[in-house]
Structures are given as C-alpha cells and as structure tokens.
Amino acid sequence: MPSSPRNDLFLRACRGEPHPRTPIWIMRQAGRYLPEYRRLREGRDFLTLCKTPELAAEATVLPVKVLGVDAAILFSDIMVVPEAMGLELELVESRGPVLSPPVRSEADLDRLHVPDPEEELGFVLDAIRCTLERLEGEVPLIGFSGAPWTLFTYMVEGQGTKSFSRAKGMVYARPDLAYRLLEKITEAVGRYLEAQIRSGVHAVQIFDTWAGALPPALFREFSLAYLERLVLRLAPLGVPVILFAKDAGHSLERIAETGCTVVGIDWATPMGEAKKRLGTRVTLQGNLDPAILYAPPERIREGVREVLEGYGRGERHVFNLGHGILPDVPPDHVRLLVEAVARESPRFHRDGEGR
Ligand code: CP3
C-alpha cells in the first residue's frame, strides 16, 4: 500500500471517512488551458511528453502547484495501451488519435498481444515513480486507463468517430469477434492497472468515454461486464477504483453494483438525482458542466453551490467536472472553481462547519 499523503481529503472521501471539506480534482487538469502546460509542450509533441518520465511528472504536478487541487492525475493517455498491444499510434492535430491498422478481422485480432507493462509501458511506471518523488507526499496520485469498450472503439474505428459504425457494426455482426477483442483488451488493462498500483498510485480511474454509444442492454453486455471484471481483479490491491462511464446515466445502479469505490457522474445527470439513486453505498464524483467555466465568476460559484447542494451533507463526494476541462477556458476561472469548492463545502461536512 502506498503511504498516506498529507492532504488525504480525496482518499477520505473515497472511503467515506469524515473530513472537513469536499476535495476537488479536475478531469484533464493538466492541459492546454494552462499556460504552464503550453510552455512545457512547446517544441515537443504530446507523445514525447508522455514517454519522457521527468516531463510527464512535471505535467502531472503542475495543476497541484498552480491550482491547489486535492489530487494529481498521472499525465499520460489512454492510447498508450493499444499502441503497446501492437497498433501504430499517431496524434494528428485536428483529427485526434489515429491507430493503424484498425482491427477489423480475426487476423488483425491475432496480431495483437497483451503487453507486459514493465517491459512495454515502463515509461508510464517510471513517470509514476518520478511523480511520487516530486509530490513529496503532498497529495494522492491517481492512475488511469481507458475502459475496454472505449479502447475497442478507437482500435476498431482506427480513429475518433461520431457514428461508431465500425465498432457497433462489429458488436452486431460479429459479436464473437467483439468478445474476443474485448477479452484481450481487458487482460491488457488489468495488467496495466495492477502495475500502476504496484508502482504506487493511490487510486485508479477507468475512463469509459464512449459508454453512451451503446444502448443500455448492450452497454451492460459489451462494456459493464468487462468493467466489473476489472473491479474484481483490482479489489485485492486495496486502492479505490473510480468508474467514469460517460452518458451511461441509465445504468448508474449497475455501475455501483460492480463493487467500485467511486462512480463518476457526468454533467447530464443532476447530482441530486445520482445521490437519490445511489445513496452512500459508493462515493460520487462530479459533476459540474465543463462549459460553465466560460461564465462570469458569480455564475461559476452558483454552479458549484448547485452541485454541492445536490449532493447535500455527507462524506462521500469528490468534486469534479462532469467531463474533461475544455482547452480554451480561462485559467483564472479554474482557480476560482477550486477556491469556491473550498469555501462553500465545509458546511456539508460534520468536521467542517456543518455540525
Ligand atoms: O486528466 C489529465 O490531466 C490526465 C491526462 C489525460 C490525457 N488524456 C491527456 C491528453 C487523460 C486522463 C486522458 C484520457 C483520454 N485520452 C481520454 C478519456 C478521457 C475523456 O476525456 O473522456 C480519451 C478519449 C483520450 C484520447 C485523446 N487524447 C483524444 C481524443 C485527444 C485529442 C483531443 C485533444 O484535446 O487534442 C488526446 C490528446 C490529449 N490527451 C491531450 C492531453 C493533454 C492534448 C494533447 C496536446 O495537444 O497537448
């Protein structure tokens, strides 16, 4: 088990232990909206940043230093796993990630392998160790992976998509192939997250960004079943597991039933509704609409109060946005968000002002 950081608000909220205010971290908190990130990125491509442990560590700690968030999330990308499985990865400006060749047949699938994380994703594990040194026990470090289904969509499509025609096409036309590919990805993700935990991360988040591409019954069959396996596999390692399945509000109860520690709530489900449906069996994370950061300060504070009041009093809420931060929001507004959560949240806690 990793040693406990000095600021343990996030871990306390994951475990439902009393704490004086609601912790906050932000999905994609180390990104282009931060001038400090753009400076670090200058003259280098994104993947070089990911694959140079000292630079990845520097990007990871940036938001802790400049925003004062209560947790760091490892600077990396979900696409490093498909790359390690044997696909070629390119990040094309304006097109996003491109994987080649796309996986469309039995033969394509058989060419993929389950990577040994120490060998083939060692740069991520080195970045974790380097980040932990730089954090000096200040805040917890969150590791992550893409969910099997979300990685499947990129691997089958070969790139981002609006219609998911190839990925969903395979689910309907060749479910046998889809199951086999999802199995292989799940094994790769399981080993990868275990290795991250062994390297010292304090929690892991699994991003199922494209959960909403599937109708509810298929989400359960082609995504949730594999998420559940991952949760069961990671449980003995003893760190909190956060499941963030975007646009899967229809299945919140089932997501919670996997046994995960934290359920990420996207901005489309009101926090009050999520709390009513899930209660305090799990910790809820979220879920301010990322676009509110374009609004003037008073509107942002109002949004923060709405989310805090939606959750209400209790020790199982981690504040976050309801999806990743957008690349052109004013950094001052993000700082204001972090301050507003610190200022407004103590009254919702027994150990704060809410006695
Ligand atoms: O949260 C963090 O700060 C940690 C870092 C992180 C990145 N990507 C850095 C990144 C995390 C957790 C991710 C996850 C990720 N990557 C997801 C799931 C998260 C989500 O938002 O639902 C997905 C779908 C990806 C795939 C990906 N990577 C896309 C679609 C893009 C291009 C979009 C864009 O903004 O250009 C990336 C690139 C990427 N990943 C950047 C960053 C900071 C931008 C790279 C740059 O130009 O500097």
Side-chain angles (χ1 to χ4, degrees), residues 319-334:
F319 206 100
N320 206 314
L321 297 178
H323 195 200
I325 197 164
L326 296 159
D328 59 348
V329 295
D332 281 347
H333 287 192
V334 186

Side-chain angles (χ1 to χ4, degrees), residues 154-232:
Y154 283 105
M155 291 168 77
V156 174
E157 301 280 347
Q159 59 183 37
T161 168
K162 288 209 166 89
S163 68
F164 297 89
S165 54
R166 303 272 188 178
K168 292 178 72 177
M170 188 187 290
V171 158
Y172 282 108
R174 289 293 311 275
D176 58 315
L177 203 57
Y179 293 137
R180 275 193 56 209
L181 179 51
L182 285 163
E183 295 266 345
K184 212 165 196 173
I185 300 171
T186 302
E187 183 57 28
V189 169
R191 283 194 202 175
Y192 179 50
L193 288 175
E194 281 175 353
Q196 290 188 29
I197 296 169
R198 279 198 306 270
S199 300
V201 300
H202 298 84
V204 292
Q205 172 155 324
I206 304 178
F207 286 89
D208 203 359
T209 306
W210 303 121
L214 292 168
L218 292 189
F219 165 69
R220 290 166 198 161
E221 188 178 345
F222 289 89
S223 175
L224 191 60
Y226 298 92
L227 292 173
E228 181 167 27
R229 276 208 239 163
L230 288 169
V231 168
L232 290 173

Side-chain angles (χ1 to χ4, degrees), residues 25-32 37 41 46 73-79 91 93 96-97 144 150 154 207 209-210 244 323-324:
W25 69 276
I26 300 167
M27 287 188 274
R28 296 282 198 112
Q29 62 193 14
R32 282 171 299 195
Y37 172 77
R41 169 87 153 70
F46 169 67
I73 179 160
L74 181 67
F75 187 85
S76 185
D77 199 79
I78 63 170
M79 296 302 164
L91 272 153
E93 213 73 44
F144 72 90
T150 286
Y154 283 105
F207 286 89
T209 306
W210 303 121
F244 177 68
H323 195 200

